[in-house]
Amino acid sequence: MSPDTPLYPHRQEASMTIRDLVAARFEEDSLTPSIEWLTFPGGTEKRETASWQELLNQASRVAETVGVGSQDGRERVAIMLPTSRAYWVAFIACALAGVIAVPLFEPTLDRTDHRRINSMLESCQPRVILTNSASLSVISEYVGSQTRVLDVDALMGSPEDEAPIEHWLAASGPGPDDVAYLQYTSGSTSRPSGVEITYAAFEFNLKQSCDSLGITRENRAVTWLPLYHDMGLVFALGLGIVTGIPVTMMSPDSFLCSPSRWIRALDRTEATISASPNFGYEYTLQQGLGGVCENLDLSRVQWLLSGSEPVRPSTVTRFEAELARYGLPSGSIRPSYGMAEATVFVSAAPHLETRMISRQRLTNGFVADPKDEDDSTELVSCGRIAEGTDHVVVDPVTFAVLPSGRVGELWLRGQSITRGYWGDKIHTEQTIVELPGHDLHERWLRTGDLVAVCDESLYVVGRLKSMLIIDGRNHYSEDLERTVQQVDPRIRPGRVAVVAHDTGSTEIPLIIAETRTRTDADIKELSKRIRSAVSVNHDFASSIVALVPPDFIPLTTSGKIQRPLAYAKWCADWAD
């Protein structure tokens, strides 16, 4: 593949399905070893590469089984695998067979995630589940006899074995406006939502990403992001399918075991681009790189995307400063904004850009210069919203469109925006709406995020809904509060508030719970049980538990808890 080859040599005026895009990869890059997976058995790096012909050989064999019994292209096939070669094969096989893929995660053997898995499986009702031999028995417990659970490793066979690739690439199937896959927005809510992503939205959003980020044929990507996550799926697998640029992957567990593996891979592969939530950059700093990275050369890196959770300026500046001695160019980290309902990508800044604004004016919904240092707070620019996505900032109460510099809810529309949630008409009608005073035939996505747009740059101020984004994942306060409420009857009913607490380097959940228990021994024991319940049910590594006396948590006149006020009260009276 020559660097001079156009990024979209196969593009036509009409949108293309994933099968069409894969066919282009087969035609243009058939024998090129474009994809690399890194594993670390016994701590030693092991590399495995694959060409598109090898991937399609294996995907075609899986498609032969997955496609049996498929009738209208709306059957769902859940993928419950670790981030691996098999995940790529399974996703492509779904596209070849013309079924709707549902990217999920591999269940833990101790079954601590059974509630989330059950909720998502009940939502999407898959006809087939693709997994591996290690998870077959565990997954079989979640489903009835109507769902087939298949071992992908057994179906794939050898990459060299011939398979009917041309048959699957030429077969008739769904069109660009049909649903390609369901992206679940959160694994920790009691009612997870499956965002419908069409083939056209998938392709268009990848093109938006490439155009906005300046991706060319000379780029090479490295990623450790999980493939069930929207950012991981689109940035790794999607980028490879649409552009054909080389992609190197490792699992999130490999990264968490030693983040220096990610940094070393950037050097060895001469990678130019990568992505991570803020958590990944902060975690790399905390763990350190050690002497194994003394001879690194990161001078080829063009940018590192930061998204999926709030971007922290201190993390960005410290990470860039620490890795500058290895040649990482200044301004490499690009803050971004995105969401599953927009396929993933919405905007990105060229580098870290912050704006000091008045804290007092912000509370009133205005972005303005601060009066003095005590009145100042910092906002991070997420850059310009990608061309092809329309946006307005709307008063979430009156639905009036607000001018530049005003804080309101971000509404979006465009080709990459979802048309709704699978099997959830109520949620769809609440989120995909008409904008009063505008063309009633046009539908807009209510993002739930409070933002301001100043000088064409997007600044995310907060979240309209009670949602916490921690370690790149979404968590809802109501869900966490229910978990805490069930721990012990000594916790007062309806008197639990969960908010995100800023530690200066990351966000962790702060659990404020009213109880009449006041002895030190009882408080210590109950706090430990609450932390354990939250850890098991929501996968939090750490949390703060504040057991407060009765009537500490402010309520509305209708009896609803006021989380922001509860948090402010805790900060003022209890934080120390």
Side-chain angles (χ1 to χ4, degrees), residues 484-493 514-515 517 526 529:
V484 174
Q485 195 75 72
Q486 295 168 1
V487 169
D488 193 289
R490 290 175 291 180
I491 299 171
R492 298 187 71 201
E514 292 186 4
T515 176
T517 298
L526 186 53
R529 289 178 58 197

Side-chain angles (χ1 to χ4, degrees), residues 353-381 405-407 450-455 457-462:
E353 297 177 340
T354 63
R355 182 169 184 153
M356 302 304 296
I357 66 169
S358 167
R359 187 188 304 273
Q360 181 179 2
R361 294 283 285 163
L362 183 62
T363 61
N364 295 321
F366 292 88
V367 171
D369 293 334
K371 294 182 298 183
D372 49 42
E373 186 175 347
D374 292 338
D375 181 45
S376 65
T377 188
E378 190 174 31
L379 293 181
V380 175
S381 168
R406 289 288 305 275
V407 177
L450 293 172
V451 308
V453 176
C454 303
D455 301 324
S457 288
L458 176 68
Y459 294 87
V460 180
V461 175

Side-chain angles (χ1 to χ4, degrees), residues 9-10 12 16-30 52-53 56 92 95-96 165-171 240-242:
H10 53 277
Q12 303 171 0
M16 303 171 75
T17 68
I18 294 176
R19 180 190 290 169
D20 298 330
L21 295 167
V22 169
R25 294 279 67 76
F26 182 66
E27 178 183 344
E28 299 161 14
D29 308 307
S30 179
W52 281 101
Q53 179 167 327
L56 285 170
I92 295 171
L96 296 179
I165 298 176
E166 289 81 0
H167 163 74
W168 287 107
L169 294 181
I241 289 175
V242 170

Side-chain angles (χ1 to χ4, degrees), residues 524-543:
K524 183 177 180 180
E525 180 264 341
L526 186 53
S527 297
K528 182 178 180 180
R529 289 178 58 197
I530 291 173
R531 272 190 291 269
S532 176
V534 169
S535 175
V536 168
N537 289 285
H538 304 278
D539 291 340
F540 285 130
S542 62
S543 60

Side-chain angles (χ1 to χ4, degrees), residues 157-180:
S158 171
E160 295 80 17
D161 295 340
E162 292 188 5
I165 298 176
E166 289 81 0
H167 163 74
W168 287 107
L169 294 181
S172 60
D177 294 328
D178 290 318
V179 178

Side-chain angles (χ1 to χ4, degrees), residues 105 108 110-117 142 187-188 473 475 479-480 483-484 487 509 511 527-543:
F105 49 86
T108 57
D110 60 7
R111 297 166 174 76
T112 55
D113 51 11
H114 71 280
R115 185 180 60 157
R116 284 180 286 160
I117 290 177
Y142 292 105
S188 64
R473 294 173 54 201
H475 303 270
D479 197 18
L480 289 158
T483 296
V484 174
V487 169
I511 302 158
S527 297
K528 182 178 180 180
R529 289 178 58 197
I530 291 173
R531 272 190 291 269
S532 176
V534 169
S535 175
V536 168
N537 289 285
H538 304 278
D539 291 340
F540 285 130
S542 62
S543 60

Side-chain angles (χ1 to χ4, degrees), residues 498-564:
V498 178
V499 297
H501 174 61
D502 191 340
T503 66
S505 61
T506 187
E507 284 187 344
I508 61 175
L510 165 64
I511 302 158
I512 306 172
E514 292 186 4
T515 176
R516 298 188 187 280
T517 298
R518 302 312 315 152
T519 67
D520 291 343
D522 286 345
I523 288 176
K524 183 177 180 180
E525 180 264 341
L526 186 53
S527 297
K528 182 178 180 180
R529 289 178 58 197
I530 291 173
R531 272 190 291 269
S532 176
V534 169
S535 175
V536 168
N537 289 285
H538 304 278
D539 291 340
F540 285 130
S542 62
S543 60
I544 298 175
V545 176
L547 296 181
V548 297
D551 301 322
F552 178 91
I553 298 175
L555 303 177
T556 66
T557 55
S558 60
K560 296 178 181 178
I561 60 173
Q562 295 183 293
R563 296 183 187 89

Side-chain angles (χ1 to χ4, degrees), residues 202-355:
F202 178 81
E203 185 207 13
F204 188 76
N205 195 243
L206 260 299
K207 182 179 183 298
Q208 285 182 305
S209 303
C210 292
D211 292 346
S212 296
L213 298 170
I215 296 175
T216 71
R217 286 282 186 168
E218 295 181 344
N219 284 123
R220 180 175 187 124
V222 169
T223 175
W224 55 267
L225 300 173
L227 290 174
Y228 63 81
H229 189 282
D230 54 358
M231 191 174 176
L233 182 72
V234 176
F235 183 79
L237 198 154
L239 200 59
I241 289 175
V242 170
T243 70
I245 69 171
V247 177
T248 293
M249 292 200 66
M250 69 181 69
S251 72
D253 288 341
S254 294
F255 167 79
L256 292 173
C257 182
S258 176
S260 64
R261 292 169 172 171
W262 174 41
I263 306 301
R264 289 202 306 269
L266 289 171
D267 170 41
R268 179 186 62 78
T269 64
E270 301 184 358
T272 56
I273 59 177
S274 190
S276 169
N278 189 89
F279 154 76
Y281 300 107
E282 185 66 38
Y283 185 71
T284 301
L285 290 171
Q286 292 173 357
Q287 297 299 305
L289 300 181
V292 294
C293 293
E294 286 303 320
N295 298 319
L296 286 178
D297 180 7
L298 302 179
S299 62
R300 303 176 192 86
V301 173
Q302 295 176 6
W303 51 258
L304 304 172
L305 204 65
S306 182
S308 188
E309 66 180 356
V311 177
R312 301 180 176 280
S314 62
T315 300
V316 172
T317 54
R318 286 186 295 114
F319 186 91
E320 290 185 352
E322 176 66 21
L323 273 68
R325 54 179 167 153
Y326 304 120
L328 182 71
S330 175
S332 295
I333 296 182
R334 302 186 62 172
S336 66
Y337 173 79
M339 60 194 316
E341 287 85 349
T343 305
V344 66
F345 182 82
V346 175
S347 70
H351 50 78
L352 178 65
E353 297 177 340
T354 63
R355 182 169 184 153

